[in-house]
Amino acid sequence: MVCAPQLIRCADHIDHRRQGLVQTDAGLTNPVRTAAPSRRGRPRSTRRHRHADHALRHTRRSQPQRRHRVHAAPPRPLQPDRAGRTRQTRSPRPTGVLALLDSDDDCPVEPARTLHEHAQATHHNVPLVAVAAVREFEAWFLAGAASLAGRAGLPHGLQPPPRPESIRGAKEWLSRQMPPGATYQETAHQPSFAAQFDLDAARAAAPSFGKFCRDVKFLVTGERERHG
């Protein structure tokens, strides 16, 4: 015969099993496997999912972004005749060409004649004059040295040497006229000296500079000046 307390305990046992709990003398146990709570009060499975999501996001960020490469076709090489036509259409046609060079120890007539003949064979429709300075360009500064007196350290009483075009080493001559430690520099002194020296004095003392002046006048006016 079952007493009433046993019936009540049996009914409670059935209700607890429905809820997944079993009541024993030691207390309540959970026979159904569920996620055990973590120290922070969250199930371990939830924490694992959170770590997995974080690792996935970190992996996506660390992976380098791939860029699409655009392969351009190599440019076509221009043919010689086509390249020449392209340059002529893009650049304006010159009205005249003045070529100036140093003859050094050579005859000034030969290099100027060779350059002029080459220009006539390749660009016969463009006026060209070629002038070769006897020895070097700075020889013209020596011819007009009096007008450069007192400039760039040159003495105030500077006078041109006799036959300036016969001097080999006009740059060294100008350096010797400057104070100790100073030397003639083409990039520093040539533009300023060319703008300041006396053209008439240089033309009278340097025949090659006289030819240069006549050729420049021909390019500007189209008229040849007779050399007396």
Side-chain angles (χ1 to χ4, degrees):
M1 188 173 179
V2 181
C3 61
Q6 293 178 348
L7 292 175
I8 296 173
R9 188 173 181 179
C10 182
D12 293 338
H13 179 73
I14 294 172
D15 292 339
H16 286 300
R17 284 189 63 86
R18 289 178 181 177
Q19 299 175 5
L21 299 174
V22 178
Q23 185 176 7
T24 62
D25 294 337
L28 294 178
T29 60
N30 189 1
V32 182
R33 291 187 175 273
T34 59
S38 63
R39 293 182 180 179
R40 297 183 180 179
R42 294 182 180 180
R44 293 181 180 177
S45 60
T46 305
R47 187 170 59 183
R48 289 195 191 100
H49 289 304
R50 185 185 60 187
H51 291 329
D53 294 341
H54 177 73
L56 180 60
R57 289 195 298 270
H58 180 72
T59 303
R60 290 177 179 176
R61 292 176 183 176
S62 61
Q63 291 180 352
Q65 299 291 332
R66 293 184 178 181
R67 299 180 179 179
H68 297 284
R69 296 181 179 179
V70 180
H71 299 279
R76 287 174 141 188
L78 292 177
Q79 300 297 329
D81 55 344
R82 184 178 178 183
R85 291 196 301 269
T86 303
R87 277 196 304 269
Q88 291 179 2
T89 55
R90 291 182 179 178
S91 59
R93 180 180 175 182
T95 56
V97 177
L98 173 63
L100 178 61
L101 61 153
D102 295 339
S103 63
D104 295 328
D105 294 331
D106 299 331
C107 176
V109 179
E110 293 301 326
R113 181 181 299 172
T114 302
L115 183 59
H116 187 271
E117 292 175 355
H118 177 73
Q120 288 295 320
T122 56
H123 299 80
H124 60 88
N125 57 339
V126 179
L128 179 139
V129 293
V131 180
V134 177
R135 302 294 183 183
E136 52 188 322
F137 178 78
E138 280 73 13
W140 296 349
F141 295 157
L142 271 60
S147 58
L148 299 177
R151 302 181 184 275
L154 294 175
H156 291 278
L158 183 66
Q159 293 296 323
R163 300 179 59 192
E165 289 185 324
S166 63
I167 296 178
R168 186 69 175 93
K171 299 181 181 65
E172 290 76 11
W173 188 91
L174 291 171
S175 297
R176 288 193 298 268
Q177 310 306 317
M178 294 181 177
T183 57
Y184 173 82
Q185 302 292 333
E186 293 184 36
T187 56
H189 299 112
Q190 193 178 87
S192 60
F193 284 6
Q196 297 168 358
F197 81 117
D198 189 350
L199 303 181
D200 294 333
R203 186 173 184 178
S208 62
F209 184 71
K211 182 181 184 306
F212 172 80
C213 295
R214 293 191 300 271
D215 289 345
V216 171
K217 183 178 180 180
F218 166 72
L219 287 178
V220 174
T221 63
E223 298 179 0
R224 281 287 184 185
E225 181 180 349
R226 294 183 179 180
H227 177 55

